[in-house]
Amino acid sequence: MALLHAAAAKWARAVVSDIPEALVVFTPSGKRGRFPVGTPLLQAARSLGVDIDSVCGGRGICGRCQILVAEGEFAKHGISSRADSLTPLSEPEMRYAKRQTLADGRRLSCSAKLLRDVVVDVPSSSQVHRQVVRKEADTRDIKLHPVIRLHYVDVQQPDMHDPSGDLRRLLDALEFEWRLSGLECDLSVLQILQPALRAGEWKVTVAVHAGKQIIAVWPGFHEKAYGMAVDVGSTTIAAHLCDLLSGELVAAAGLMNPQIRFGEDLMSRVSYSMMNPGGFVQMTSAVREALSALAAEVAASAGVTAQDILESTIVGNPIMHHLVLGIDPVELGGAPFALAVDQALTVSAKSLELNIHPNARIYLLPCIAGHVGADTAGMILAERPDLSAELTLLVDVGTNAEIVLGNRERMLACSSPTGPAFEGAQISCGQRAAPGAIERVRIDPTTLEPKYKIIGNEFWSDDPQFGTAEVTGVCGSGIIEVIAEMYLSGVINQDGVIDGALAKTSDRVVANGRTFAYVLRRGEVTLQITQNDVRAIQLGKAALYAGIRLLMEKLEVEKVDRIRLAGAFGSHIDVKYAMILGMIPDCDLSKVGSAGNAAGTGARIALLDSTSRTAIEDIVRRVEKIETAIEPRFQQHFVEAMAIPHKSAPYPNLRMAVTLPEPKDSAAQTATRGRRTRR
Amino acid sequence: MALLHAAAAKWARAVVSDIPEALVVFTPSGKRGRFPVGTPLLQAARSLGVDIDSVCGGRGICGRCQILVAEGEFAKHGISSRADSLTPLSEPEMRYAKRQTLADGRRLSCSAKLLRDVVVDVPSSSQVHRQVVRKEADTRDIKLHPVIRLHYVDVQQPDMHDPSGDLRRLLDALEFEWRLSGLECDLSVLQILQPALRAGEWKVTVAVHAGKQIIAVWPGFHEKAYGMAVDVGSTTIAAHLCDLLSGELVAAAGLMNPQIRFGEDLMSRVSYSMMNPGGFVQMTSAVREALSALAAEVAASAGVTAQDILESTIVGNPIMHHLVLGIDPVELGGAPFALAVDQALTVSAKSLELNIHPNARIYLLPCIAGHVGADTAGMILAERPDLSAELTLLVDVGTNAEIVLGNRERMLACSSPTGPAFEGAQISCGQRAAPGAIERVRIDPTTLEPKYKIIGNEFWSDDPQFGTAEVTGVCGSGIIEVIAEMYLSGVINQDGVIDGALAKTSDRVVANGRTFAYVLRRGEVTLQITQNDVRAIQLGKAALYAGIRLLMEKLEVEKVDRIRLAGAFGSHIDVKYAMILGMIPDCDLSKVGSAGNAAGTGARIALLDSTSRTAIEDIVRRVEKIETAIEPRFQQHFVEAMAIPHKSAPYPNLRMAVTLPEPKDSAAQTATRGRRTRR
């Protein structure tokens, strides 16, 4: 930008000396202005506030400021715009084209100068604040506002007449060329500043964090800046590597959370810490090592090094969040479930022993409450229910379900103890989602014969091409479907009781101790859905529904406009079955969908768009936190929600899509069961 | 202060309900006001802006808010002030008196309440911003403004109805009780916050740095906060431990700089780094280990631990400054002598591997130029020439002399290459100041017989009680005196030439090769002052004078009002002899004195008075930096200053105190020498 300043001075002189002017119109912004002939386009753009990127400050090196002349007659502007409205291809442009290739018609706006009236198109790839397109349907794009910016500068050499330090001259250059003032500098940058300046012959690139802190310096021109967004789940840890200059997702990787050796689920890890004072240190080391391993992996697959990762964001439930930070999660194991810290934090990579650039900063999204963590904050950031008038219900189902309900007026959040049934645990034939697990089920209402699909096989079990695939168990989404289908086919009634009378007419219903079971599959591995299995799912779904109901009651609403199911469960579940079971309230089925890995997406948004950080911090502060454990109404909602889909909720939208069975006489069934026990 | 807020509320109610008021006058501030009967004195003081200390926030625990009732009739105020103008000794006061003793008549102002009109004396020990008295004569006291403050707070317990984190509730308490807002918290404090709060039963003491950052937390009440001021010299490192609550100096220690094994003087250490790329790392480790050892030593001698040291300040020349920071000083070894950083820095103890409290911050005073370091900034801070209209000359003599000249209008600084002669090096009989070294010399102008004093012996050598003490050499101050006395007694002339003709009449002047020498001592060790020794001192003193002269010329002044000599050399030298030699310009001898270890004092001021940090940073920015190496006039001044005391400076003040010899005919002497060589 030193060159731009020189150009500005020349421009100012030109104004005085009556040099002819030309009109330039930038699209798509439509910003326009008259400038003296000879003004570099980048300079014109800057003075009009048109968003054009630059790392090299107008030296024709970085190629980020590319524009296109829109050729033709523009009646609206009264302009005939032609390629030769600009100066011919310059020396720096030809050099750049040779080194990096410059697509046909593209010009470097720092080099191309105004000759005649012109319409200039700024492609989105040349904007700093470009839109990063999200693949997920039904979501807004991410606006790129990276917290890390790279700046190439030309630093004045030291001089005996002015004994200022190298840092001061670097700061002066950053202020002069980039209008950055009041910067501070990490000590480890200071330690390598002098050799870097000399190796780069007084030209260096610095990385500035949040417009305030110099965190890295490289000799000469450098344009690698990556960021890693991490979702630390209790079971898996997922990392996404983004190019902070383009916003592009360049690599992703995941691995099992190595803390599993200290306990399968969250509470057993907290117990480990309770039983082994100081034991959290081992869990902290384990998760930090996993983060470093992931960083190495995503960097390698993007062809860069972990040292090129200059920023990271982390989401996770409160216990994962605390363990990553090196905080004993023991207080989260019992009432009142006190977080050590709820607000968002920025810490150094060094302090988390995270093997990326040592001065990288790690932003951890805020936690909401003792059971509602930074992962929920990430989900809110991914979905932004606060931007719409529609009342949106966000649900992330795990051992606990995190529930957020709100719109632009108000937002409420709670956690509900659904138990692990939806993850296939506590179900006799349940298993984690893995190849061989049943994930889809249909039951013929007449014959009660089932058909199913397993993970890793695209054919239904009644298709000849299904073959002899090994069937190992039923995963979460399979359990939802089989129980919903059992209800639709009359195997269970609205109270979830398996109709033992059917055992007389179908060998799919069999006695199982004092109750009955439904035989989903016979063979090497026999898979039965027992009365206990149905009960476990009923307890889980009732807890989830009761949590949702509690929030609806607090908001004084009877229906929601939109439901988004997050997480792995949300991605695999058929929302219709979730509604048949009564896990979620009634809603237009077209407005119910998966939010994908919303927590991870939230981490990616926080990584790419620094303005989103203050947004989510503000939202989280405003969220009304509801603690289900101390809400007397929760128990009542819970009891009422045991029925399938619900004792009193009418489910009008669901009934339009699915024919629900007529309620059977529960007393008759009880009699049947009574008889059976007497037999 | 929670209690004080409650008191304030009560006071507000009282105003409304017409409770009678009483007048309170605080001395020595003279601040006065009327308050409802029953108002705690601390509360009254706070609302009047009277400076009274408190760590416990008005709970009667810390005892820092002690006051005294001034008994008697105060006509000026129309008050009859008596001990019973306050409520009787309270429960907390009796508890405190039992635990800590409460001197007769002392009251805790947080507990003692107003009954009748009263005059209250606030002893200086109860003031936050008390004066810390400096032992050195002719200096201002230090005003205590510690950057670290301790705050005792009562934190609200977590509650399921309000799921805020422990940190948030701590911050709320600090804001409510101490009006501290926007605080941030070190990660390692966060990691121990939950156990600390529970161990302290929700009462903790926190250390806050600069009103912004929580750097430590302790369960319950804690009142240990120490700071260490360090002067890192090339030869010795000195540390002073201060109680940050009282400002008192509680311990001091020094040790040899272990970097000496990499080179005796500064330049040989830079050479080491040049010859061994990366070798500075070893020097950095060596000096950092020494700092940790000193911290352990001063802490132990004060009966505390190094972990109680919550803040540190460091001064040192540019090379020491860079090495402590882990910056290769190689650029300081050659023109243009570029500093990596000149501005003041605050870094963490952890980043310097300094074994004190890991979250302690280290403040390094700013450097001025490549040869004028943070030690000179410390000297300026200790002497503050900018506060006076008097033109003050500050000189710190070492291998280089740092020279500062200025007053409230302007200030200039430079460094001058005096060489090591003043430290006893490059002198045939020279040695470091140590027992056995001659430090004082007198020569009888008639007989040319010398007498001397050695370090470690209070008697002159001609005193029978001098005994048979071993005499090992001549230290810096001894060399100054012997050469000045040689001049006064006519052994050398103004040009520094030893008068060989004297060899005929005195056996104290002897031939020494082609020149002559003066025999200071005969015996087991013969000590002679050779012509080369005289030359070495002349070169050194001419360099020093030329530097001073250059600054005077830049300021366009012909005389200085005041001279302060800093460092070990400044402490031991007899200023009269320094002036006779012409090291320093003429000045009223009563205005010439030692500044002691001014650099170290500056570090101590920066430690105790945080406002002094911005002061010295401002001063250093304004100081006009003169580089003698590129000033053409420097050479000329240097040549002119070779004569004793000076070829052209008249030295009127000196001549009033001392009779200087008439200039001898230099030509005659040369003839003498000529004859001698022909002999």
Side-chain angles (χ1 to χ4, degrees):
Chain A
M1 278 212 271
L3 307 185
L4 289 179
H5 287 299
K10 198 171 157 191
W11 171 77
R13 280 196 304 278
V15 169
V16 175
S17 59
D18 282 333
I19 282 194
E21 291 187 338
L23 176 68
V24 56
V25 180
F26 289 95
T27 61
S29 69
K31 288 178 177 166
R32 47 186 288 157
R34 298 191 71 80
F35 294 89
V37 163
T39 304
L41 280 180
L42 181 56
Q43 164 64 18
R46 287 278 155 90
S47 67
L48 292 172
V50 175
D51 176 21
I52 297 188
D53 199 3
S54 174
V55 169
C56 74
R59 290 177 176 81
I61 301 172
C62 70
R64 304 204 153 260
C65 65
Q66 296 179 25
I67 49 89
L68 268 166
V69 171
E71 295 186 69
E73 300 294 324
F74 292 83
K76 184 165 77 163
H77 305 297
I79 297 182
S80 167
S81 176
R82 305 196 313 255
D84 66 359
S85 298
L86 302 180
T87 47
L89 220 57
S90 69
E91 194 59 48
E93 287 176 289
M94 285 190 272
R95 262 204 311 275
Y96 180 81
K98 209 177 281 173
R99 222 172 52 239
Q100 302 273 331
T101 76
L102 192 57
D104 202 33
R106 291 281 182 112
R107 299 292 307 270
L108 299 185
S109 65
C110 62
S111 238
K113 292 171 186 154
L114 202 54
L115 287 181
R116 273 175 289 279
D117 292 356
V118 68
V119 175
V120 169
D121 186 45
V122 183
S124 79
S125 59
S126 294
Q127 298 167 9
V128 180
H129 303 299
R130 69 194 72 172
Q131 300 289 333
V132 181
V133 178
R134 279 166 67 182
K135 277 184 248 148
E136 306 91 346
D138 198 15
T139 53
R140 290 157 304 102
D141 292 340
I142 304 170
K143 185 117 181 183
L144 189 60
H145 265 287
V147 74
I148 296 286
R149 294 290 313 267
L150 299 184
H151 300 285
Y152 177 69
V153 283
D154 206 333
V155 177
Q156 196 155 359
Q157 295 188 33
D159 176 347
M160 306 258 279
H161 292 91
D162 165 23
S164 62
D166 283 3
L167 176 62
R168 188 176 299 274
R169 279 173 281 106
L170 173 64
L171 295 179
D172 287 348
L174 285 164
E175 177 145 17
F176 179 69
E177 296 193 25
W178 294 96
R179 303 284 153 102
L180 289 164
S181 59
L183 291 183
E184 307 227 328
C185 182
D186 283 351
L187 177 59
S188 61
V189 174
L190 214 45
Q191 287 166 343
I192 58 160
L193 179 59
Q194 294 198 309
L197 282 167
R198 283 146 188 89
E201 294 179 333
W202 305 98
K203 292 171 189 67
V204 290
T205 307
V206 297
V208 175
H209 181 274
K212 283 185 194 154
Q213 189 82 20
I214 300 174
I215 66 160
V217 63
W218 301 270
F221 184 68
H222 181 99
E223 55 177 346
K224 273 188 204 162
Y226 292 87
M228 179 171 73
V230 189
D231 175 14
V232 184
S234 339
T235 310
T236 56
I237 307 178
H240 288 82
L241 188 72
C242 295
D243 182 332
L244 294 178
L245 298 173
S246 68
E248 270 167 51
L249 178 63
V250 292
L255 47 73
M256 294 297 284
N257 188 330
Q259 293 176 338
I260 283 177
R261 67 174 185 269
F262 302 98
E264 183 81 8
D265 58 38
L266 277 178
M267 283 319 295
S268 50
R269 288 181 219 166
V270 175
S271 304
Y272 179 84
S273 191
M274 287 170 167
M275 313 284 276
N276 305 276
F280 74 96
V281 173
Q282 296 160 270
M283 291 192 276
T284 291
S285 299
V287 69
R288 288 179 175 179
E289 280 163 25
L291 294 180
S292 289
L294 274 176
E297 188 180 341
V298 289
S301 70
V304 299
T305 73
Q307 301 295 304
D308 294 319
I309 304 177
L310 304 179
E311 177 78 5
S312 180
T313 53
I314 293 181
V315 296
N317 61 56
I319 290 167
M320 289 304 112
H321 170 271
H322 278 39
L323 282 172
V324 167
L325 285 171
I327 299 172
D328 192 339
V330 70
E331 293 300 329
L332 295 168
F337 309 105
L339 291 160
V341 52
D342 57 81
Q343 49 267 65
L345 289 177
T346 300
V347 297
S348 72
K350 223 179 298 169
S351 71
L352 297 193
E353 295 157 339
L354 183 48
N355 198 7
I356 57 177
H357 192 287
N359 295 336
R361 283 3 187 213
I362 320 287
Y363 176 80
L364 293 102
L365 277 77
C367 287
I368 298 174
H371 287 121
V372 188
D375 47 355
T376 307
M379 174 171 76
I380 295 173
L381 188 54
E383 294 291 326
R384 290 302 296 270
D386 61 302
L387 295 179
S388 159
E390 278 187 333
L391 191 65
T392 300
L393 174 66
L394 305 179
V395 177
D396 191 348
V397 175
T399 303
N400 284 300
E402 284 87 49
I403 306 166
V404 174
L405 178 66
N407 60 9
R408 66 166 61 119
E409 307 295 333
R410 277 175 77 184
M411 202 182 300
L412 281 74
C414 72
S415 165
S416 194
T418 46
F422 295 136
E423 293 176 325
Q426 293 183 356
I427 299 293
S428 59
C429 59
Q431 69 158 86
R432 285 191 183 280
I438 291 175
E439 55 169 348
R440 298 268 169 267
V441 179
R442 297 292 178 272
I443 299 178
D444 184 302
T446 317
T447 64
L448 303 191
E449 282 304 301
K451 62 175 181 176
Y452 47 81
K453 274 175 82 171
I454 58 172
I455 296 176
N457 189 331
E458 60 179 307
F459 302 102
W460 285 92
S461 57
D462 60 351
D463 189 309
Q465 295 190 71
F466 181 78
T468 55
E470 198 191 8
V471 180
T472 52
V474 186
C475 74
S477 60
I479 288 163
I480 304 292
E481 293 204 3
V482 68
I483 293 176
E485 284 282 324
M486 283 164 72
Y487 169 63
L488 293 177
S489 59
V491 175
I492 55 175
N493 67 2
Q494 205 181 359
D495 290 324
V497 179
I498 299 176
D499 184 357
L502 295 174
K504 295 172 196 159
T505 53
S506 165
D507 63 354
R508 286 286 164 182
V509 176
V510 297
N512 180 33
R514 295 162 61 101
T515 56
F516 292 89
Y518 176 75
V519 182
L520 177 57
R521 176 191 153 91
R522 283 199 185 83
E524 248 171 79
V525 181
T526 295
L527 302 175
Q528 296 192 116
I529 308 299
T530 67
Q531 187 63 61
N532 276 343
D533 295 338
V534 178
R535 285 280 174 255
I537 288 295
Q538 277 180 290
L539 289 169
K541 79 101 187 177
L544 175 56
Y545 189 93
I548 296 169
R549 184 69 213 159
L550 189 67
L551 297 194
M552 291 172 71
E553 195 171 71
K554 295 268 174 193
L555 265 186
E556 299 178 0
V557 296
E558 280 304 317
K559 65 179 199 56
V560 302
D561 299 323
R562 197 165 157 267
I563 301 177
R564 304 279 290 168
L565 301 172
F569 183 83
S571 306
H572 295 110
I573 201 172
D574 180 333
V575 294
K576 184 178 73 188
Y577 285 101
M579 204 180 285
I580 293 169
L581 260 195
M583 293 176 70
I584 52 177
D586 189 57
C587 184
D588 178 349
L589 275 167
S590 71
K591 294 275 206 166
V592 185
S594 161
N597 175 13
T601 302
R604 194 151 59 89
I605 293 172
L607 180 68
L608 295 178
D609 178 4
S610 58
T611 67
S612 73
R613 298 183 184 183
T614 37
I616 189 60
E617 290 165 22
D618 286 347
I619 295 168
V620 165
R621 227 186 331 266
R622 287 195 334 259
V623 163
E624 297 164 53
K625 292 98 183 166
I626 308 299
E627 177 52 73
T628 52
I630 52 170
E631 286 286 341
R633 298 277 296 158
F634 181 77
Q635 282 307 319
Q636 191 180 334
H637 290 310
F638 179 77
V639 171
E640 283 176 7
M642 285 291 284
I644 300 170
H646 194 279
K647 204 104 225 169
S648 52
Y651 278 93
N653 282 292
L654 179 62
R655 282 174 199 280
M656 278 197 288
V658 185
T659 309
L660 297 183
E662 284 306 299
K664 284 192 187 177
D665 175 10
S666 200
Q669 279 207 329
T670 312
T672 311
R673 199 175 54 209
R675 272 200 302 280
R676 193 186 132 65
T677 46
R678 257 179 265 129
R679 192 164 54 174
Chain B
M1 280 214 271
L3 306 185
L4 290 180
H5 286 299
K10 199 171 158 191
W11 171 76
R13 280 196 305 278
V15 169
V16 175
S17 60
D18 281 334
I19 281 192
E21 291 187 337
L23 176 68
V24 56
V25 180
F26 289 95
T27 60
S29 68
K31 289 179 177 167
R32 47 187 287 159
R34 298 192 70 80
F35 295 88
V37 163
T39 303
L41 280 181
L42 181 57
Q43 163 65 17
R46 286 278 155 91
S47 68
L48 292 172
V50 174
D51 176 20
I52 298 188
D53 198 5
S54 174
V55 169
C56 73
R59 291 178 175 81
I61 300 173
C62 71
R64 301 202 156 261
C65 66
Q66 296 180 26
I67 49 89
L68 268 165
V69 170
E71 294 186 72
E73 299 295 325
F74 293 83
K76 182 165 80 164
H77 304 297
I79 297 182
S80 167
S81 177
R82 305 196 312 255
D84 66 0
S85 298
L86 302 179
T87 47
L89 219 58
S90 69
E91 194 59 50
E93 287 175 289
M94 285 190 273
R95 264 204 311 274
Y96 180 81
K98 209 176 282 174
R99 221 173 54 239
Q100 302 273 332
T101 76
L102 192 57
D104 202 34
R106 291 282 182 113
R107 301 291 307 269
L108 299 185
S109 64
C110 62
S111 238
K113 293 171 185 153
L114 201 54
L115 287 181
R116 272 176 289 279
D117 292 355
V118 68
V119 176
V120 169
D121 185 45
V122 182
S124 80
S125 59
S126 295
Q127 298 167 9
V128 180
H129 302 300
R130 70 194 71 170
Q131 300 288 334
V132 180
V133 179
R134 279 165 70 183
K135 274 183 252 153
E136 305 90 346
D138 198 15
T139 53
R140 290 157 306 102
D141 292 340
I142 304 170
K143 184 117 181 181
L144 190 60
H145 264 288
V147 73
I148 297 286
R149 296 288 314 264
L150 299 184
H151 300 286
Y152 178 70
V153 282
D154 206 333
V155 177
Q156 195 155 0
Q157 296 189 31
D159 178 348
M160 306 260 278
H161 293 92
D162 164 23
S164 63
D166 282 2
L167 175 62
R168 188 176 299 275
R169 278 173 280 104
L170 173 64
L171 295 179
D172 287 348
L174 285 164
E175 178 147 14
F176 178 69
E177 295 193 26
W178 295 96
R179 304 282 154 100
L180 289 165
S181 60
L183 291 183
E184 306 227 330
C185 181
D186 282 351
L187 177 58
S188 60
V189 174
L190 214 45
Q191 288 166 342
I192 58 160
L193 179 60
Q194 294 198 309
L197 283 166
R198 284 148 187 87
E201 295 178 333
W202 305 98
K203 290 170 191 68
V204 290
T205 307
V206 297
V208 175
H209 181 274
K212 283 184 194 154
Q213 189 81 22
I214 300 174
I215 65 160
V217 62
W218 301 269
F221 183 68
H222 181 98
E223 55 177 344
K224 273 188 205 163
Y226 292 87
M228 179 171 73
V230 189
D231 176 13
V232 184
S234 338
T235 310
T236 56
I237 306 178
H240 287 83
L241 187 72
C242 295
D243 182 333
L244 293 179
L245 298 174
S246 68
E248 271 166 51
L249 178 63
V250 293
L255 48 73
M256 293 297 282
N257 188 330
Q259 293 176 339
I260 282 176
R261 67 174 185 269
F262 301 99
E264 182 82 7
D265 59 37
L266 278 177
M267 283 319 295
S268 51
R269 286 180 219 167
V270 175
S271 304
Y272 179 84
S273 191
M274 288 170 167
M275 313 284 278
N276 304 278
F280 75 96
V281 172
Q282 297 160 269
M283 291 192 275
T284 291
S285 299
V287 69
R288 288 178 176 179
E289 280 163 24
L291 294 180
S292 289
L294 274 176
E297 188 181 340
V298 289
S301 71
V304 299
T305 73
Q307 300 296 303
D308 294 319
I309 303 177
L310 304 179
E311 177 79 3
S312 180
T313 53
I314 294 181
V315 295
N317 61 56
I319 291 167
M320 289 303 112
H321 170 271
H322 278 39
L323 283 172
V324 167
L325 285 172
I327 299 173
D328 192 339
V330 70
E331 293 301 329
L332 295 168
F337 310 105
L339 291 159
V341 53
D342 57 81
Q343 48 267 68
L345 289 177
T346 300
V347 297
S348 72
K350 223 179 297 168
S351 71
L352 297 192
E353 295 157 337
L354 183 48
N355 198 8
I356 57 178
H357 192 287
N359 295 336
R361 296 331 197 235
I362 319 287
Y363 177 80
L364 293 102
L365 277 77
C367 286
I368 298 173
H371 288 122
V372 189
D375 48 355
T376 307
M379 174 171 77
I380 295 174
L381 189 53
E383 294 291 325
R384 290 302 297 270
D386 62 301
L387 294 179
S388 158
E390 279 187 331
L391 190 64
T392 301
L393 173 66
L394 306 179
V395 178
D396 191 348
V397 174
T399 304
N400 285 300
E402 284 86 50
I403 306 166
V404 174
L405 178 67
N407 60 9
R408 67 165 63 120
E409 307 295 334
R410 276 176 80 185
M411 203 182 298
L412 280 73
C414 73
S415 164
S416 195
T418 45
F422 295 136
E423 292 176 324
Q426 294 184 356
I427 299 292
S428 59
C429 59
Q431 71 157 86
R432 284 192 183 280
I438 291 175
E439 54 169 349
R440 299 267 169 268
V441 179
R442 297 289 179 274
I443 299 177
D444 184 304
T446 315
T447 64
L448 304 189
E449 283 303 302
K451 64 175 181 175
Y452 47 80
K453 273 175 82 171
I454 60 172
I455 296 176
N457 189 331
E458 60 180 305
F459 301 102
W460 285 90
S461 58
D462 60 350
D463 188 309
Q465 295 191 72
F466 180 78
T468 55
E470 195 189 10
V471 180
T472 52
V474 187
C475 73
S477 61
I479 288 161
I480 303 293
E481 293 203 2
V482 67
I483 293 178
E485 284 281 326
M486 283 164 73
Y487 170 61
L488 292 177
S489 59
V491 175
I492 58 176
N493 68 2
Q494 205 181 1
D495 289 325
V497 179
I498 299 177
D499 185 356
L502 295 173
K504 295 174 198 159
T505 53
S506 165
D507 61 356
R508 286 285 163 183
V509 176
V510 297
N512 180 34
R514 294 164 59 100
T515 56
F516 292 88
Y518 175 74
V519 182
L520 178 57
R521 176 189 154 90
R522 283 198 186 85
E524 245 171 82
V525 182
T526 294
L527 301 175
Q528 298 193 103
I529 307 300
T530 67
Q531 187 64 60
N532 276 343
D533 295 340
V534 178
R535 285 284 173 251
I537 288 294
Q538 277 180 289
L539 289 169
K541 79 102 186 175
L544 175 57
Y545 189 93
I548 297 169
R549 184 69 212 160
L550 189 68
L551 298 194
M552 290 172 72
E553 195 171 70
K554 295 268 173 194
L555 265 186
E556 299 177 2
V557 296
E558 281 302 319
K559 64 179 201 58
V560 302
D561 298 323
R562 196 164 157 267
I563 301 177
R564 304 280 290 168
L565 301 172
F569 182 83
S571 307
H572 295 109
I573 201 173
D574 181 331
V575 293
K576 186 179 72 188
Y577 285 102
M579 205 179 283
I580 293 168
L581 260 196
M583 293 176 70
I584 52 177
D586 188 59
C587 184
D588 178 348
L589 275 167
S590 71
K591 294 275 205 167
V592 185
S594 160
N597 174 14
T601 302
R604 193 150 61 89
I605 294 172
L607 179 69
L608 295 178
D609 177 5
S610 58
T611 67
S612 74
R613 299 183 183 184
T614 39
I616 189 60
E617 290 165 23
D618 286 347
I619 295 168
V620 165
R621 228 186 330 267
R622 286 195 336 259
V623 164
E624 297 163 53
K625 292 99 184 165
I626 308 298
E627 178 51 74
T628 51
I630 53 169
E631 287 285 343
R633 297 278 296 158
F634 180 76
Q635 283 306 320
Q636 191 181 333
H637 290 309
F638 179 75
V639 171
E640 283 177 6
M642 286 289 287
I644 300 172
H646 194 279
K647 204 100 227 171
S648 52
Y651 278 93
N653 281 295
L654 179 62
R655 283 175 197 279
M656 278 197 287
V658 185
T659 308
L660 297 183
E662 285 306 302
K664 284 194 192 178
D665 175 10
S666 200
Q669 281 209 327
T670 310
T672 311
R673 199 175 52 206
R675 273 202 299 281
R676 195 186 132 63
T677 45
R678 256 180 267 130
R679 193 164 53 176

